[in-house]
Amino acid sequence: MRRFGLVLLATTALSGCHMPGQPQPGPEVPRPEAVMSFAQLYGENCSGCHGADGRNGSAMELANPLYLAIIDDADLRNIITNGEKGTLMPGFGNAVGGNLTDEQVNALVSGMRAKWAKPNVLSGVTAPAWKASQPGDATRGAAVYAQACARCHGNTPQKPGPAGSILDGSFLALVNDQTIRTIVIAGRDDIGQPDWRNVMPGRALTDAEITDLSAWLIAQTPPHPGHPYPLAPHTR
């Protein structure tokens, strides 16, 4: 019995105080607010809507050099932090109930630019401003749509063009005028949507035309999106 005890004591000493079957220490898991890796932050917070590599998601293509060229860091930070009213983009900042610190938002912005921006993408070209400088005119916007958009997207929701309808009420209910303006200017190369230089036959769209087009499209949003039939009067 004494001999068995000595053997057990020696085994314990040689094992460095780790008894057989005892779990070994694993890697330390960082606190959520300490995560600063762009890949992890993007994968956990953005990829579900914007695509695993910034492309082919349901929301705006972030791996779009034109998009990153027309929007500045302050606006990117504001969108990530506070979300976009009138769209499905939520706010991720701590101040609005999200889970990202200001430092993590900055890491996402700088990471997107480092990974996807191309400094010379607008070399020799003046793009329209990301934000409109004045309200659009929906009446003029209807004419722009007929000339620049209808051949691909159709004239009515019931008769979509080869690229699908952007007059569908369910789609319009998920976007705002800034969403439309951004896509018209920057395009979406991942789904074959050209930028502002290649939607109007023979020339680029002007800043004013883009503003008017965005205003007209948003004006087509039905009062009750998603309802295929008129709502019945409320009765008690």
Side-chain angles (χ1 to χ4, degrees), residues 33-104:
E33 65 271 19
V35 174
M36 297 301 292
S37 160
F38 170 74
Q40 184 172 347
L41 289 171
Y42 181 86
E44 293 177 353
N45 297 281
C46 314
S47 63
C49 293
H50 295 282
D53 198 31
R55 295 168 57 85
N56 300 309
S58 58
M60 183 63 195
E61 175 194 14
L62 298 180
N64 182 335
L66 271 176
Y67 171 63
L68 294 174
I70 63 173
I71 188 169
D72 62 26
D73 286 1
D75 286 320
L76 272 176
R77 282 194 294 268
N78 181 58
I79 292 172
I80 297 170
T81 300
N82 299 306
E84 276 201 275
K85 186 177 180 180
T87 77
L88 290 181
M89 174 65 187
F92 285 87
N94 288 164
V96 296
N99 61 329
L100 297 182
T101 66
D102 290 345
E103 292 75 18
Q104 289 173 317

Side-chain angles (χ1 to χ4, degrees), residues 166-228:
I166 55 174
L167 296 174
D168 184 272
S170 297
F171 165 74
L172 292 172
L174 302 178
V175 298
N176 60 16
D177 56 346
Q178 183 61 64
T179 307
I180 293 171
R181 181 179 179 85
T182 300
I183 294 174
V184 172
I185 297 172
R188 278 199 59 176
D189 183 63
D190 57 340
I191 60 172
Q193 168 67 35
D195 62 56
W196 90 101
R197 295 168 291 187
N198 298 295
V199 292
M200 181 75 82
R203 65 175 180 84
L205 288 172
T206 67
D207 190 298
E209 286 173 329
I210 295 169
T211 303
D212 294 340
L213 172 62
S214 302
W216 181 77
L217 280 168
I218 288 300
Q220 308 313 301
T221 307
H224 304 289
H227 289 274

